[in-house]
Amino acid sequence: AGGSNFILGMQDGEEYRKLKSPILTAFPPREVEERVRPIAQRHAREIMDRASPGFDVIQHLMKVVPVRICREYFGMVVEDEA
């Protein structure tokens, strides 16, 4: 966020709405529910089904699932999920 407040930590207001607008073009709410959420859910479930004690949630879930969403939803080529 370059030292400024990031959208996830902001209250509703003019600056928030200005930042939210381009995000909604990338992830329209209807698309999130119909396409993005199922992708995230499927991959998170697959990863968690294989998790064992000591599992690093950030490294093996929070970093991987968004990469897989970008690959499947946007069609991005991802050579290294890490």
Side-chain angles (χ1 to χ4, degrees), residues 13-40:
E14 184 179 338
E15 185 66 20
Y16 170 79
R17 291 180 185 159
K18 179 181 166 188
L19 293 172
K20 183 180 174 182
S21 180
I23 290 172
L24 290 178
T25 63
F27 289 106
R30 183 174 177 179
E31 288 281 311
V32 171
E33 290 302 317
E34 292 177 1
R35 296 185 56 210
V36 178
R37 186 180 306 270
I39 294 168

Side-chain angles (χ1 to χ4, degrees), residues 40-72:
Q41 184 178 30
R42 183 177 75 251
H43 287 292
R45 181 172 286 127
E46 289 171 1
I47 290 167
M48 293 310 298
D49 284 347
R50 295 188 315 267
S52 59
F55 176 76
D56 184 337
V57 174
I58 302 300
Q59 184 67 31
H60 300 290
L61 183 71
M62 300 301 291
K63 288 184 176 181
V64 173
V65 172
V67 170
R68 292 180 181 181
I69 290 169
C70 288
R71 182 180 59 212
E72 290 185 35

